[in-house]
Amino acid sequence: GGDLIKTLQIPETVEGAAQRIIDKQIRKCDVGVVTCRSGGEMNARYFINIADAGFGATVVDNVRQSTKALGPFFAYLTGLLRALTIHKNHPIRITVDDSFEAEGSMTAVVVANGQFFGGGMWIAPRARLDDGQFEVVIIGDITRTEFIANVHKIYNGTLDSHPKVRYMQGRKILLHSDSRVGVEADGEQAGILPATFEILPGKLNVLF
């Protein structure tokens, strides 16, 4: 989906990206690690951009099975619309830094290091790659009708205006569910809940 370059503000042209390499400006970026159940075991997977549990994992599964002929934007948009027809919200228990706890039916919990995912969805406009924290987006029990009515907010970075959406920052996020809830990291299926997301500050040197 080319989402990480949007947060890093790397030009999409070959010439522009090459100039960033020539300039050699180094930024120490944080890395996330998610540990979740996969193949009957708890496995760790690193990510630099965004990981999430719930709806996003359903979208990723749909995109993986669909054509990319029309480009990433339409591939993810089509995957999102298809996910709306099959995804079910599930009860999830969330803990953020041992200071915030909540439980209830949720559409998704997004753990963002970068700002964009899903081929251009501006899900976490306040996320920073080098601040040592995740931007956590808790999307509550949103119905299909509500989701469709607010899709534009996902793309223009104003989803936080919805009363069922909550934003916060955290370094360690724990998610549990008695239901089968998928987890994805950087656009790849990672496993299912339970999951722990942790930030590793300044671990990756990135030219920007």
Side-chain angles (χ1 to χ4, degrees), residues 187-199:
E188 301 289 342
Q189 296 287 359
I192 60 174
L193 296 186
T196 301
F197 304 81
E198 297 178 272
I199 195 83

Side-chain angles (χ1 to χ4, degrees), residues 5-58:
I5 66 171
K6 297 179 180 68
T7 301
L8 289 168
Q9 298 182 339
I10 296 174
E12 294 186 11
T13 64
V14 173
E15 294 80 7
Q19 188 61 49
R20 291 296 180 92
I21 298 175
I22 295 170
D23 292 342
K24 295 182 180 178
Q25 297 183 53
I26 296 177
R27 182 175 179 179
K28 286 189 171 293
C29 290
D30 306 331
V31 174
V33 57
V34 54
T35 303
C36 62
R37 188 172 300 282
S38 176
E41 300 179 349
M42 297 300 290
N43 293 305
R45 186 186 187 103
Y46 294 97
F47 64 98
I48 187 173
N49 190 38
I50 289 177
D52 81 278
F55 187 78
T58 306

Side-chain angles (χ1 to χ4, degrees), residues 4 9 11 38 42-43 47 50 52 54 56 65 77 112 127 133 141 147 175 187-188 206 208:
L4 183 61
Q9 298 182 339
S38 176
M42 297 300 290
N43 293 305
F47 64 98
I50 289 177
D52 81 278
Q65 301 177 51
L77 180 59
Q133 298 190 89
D141 194 16
F147 201 107
L175 298 180
E188 301 289 342
V206 178
F208 77 104

Side-chain angles (χ1 to χ4, degrees), residues 145-190:
T145 301
E146 288 177 308
F147 201 107
I148 292 171
N150 289 275
V151 163
H152 65 286
K153 294 183 179 180
I154 298 175
Y155 285 94
N156 65 22
T158 61
L159 189 62
D160 60 347
S161 64
H162 194 285
K164 293 183 180 179
V165 177
R166 180 167 185 169
Y167 280 65
M168 65 183 65
Q169 289 185 321
R171 296 171 58 88
K172 184 176 182 179
I173 296 88
L174 307 178
L175 298 180
H176 297 269
S177 180
D178 293 330
S179 301
R180 184 180 178 87
V181 179
V183 178
E184 66 88 13
D186 283 347
E188 301 289 342
Q189 296 287 359

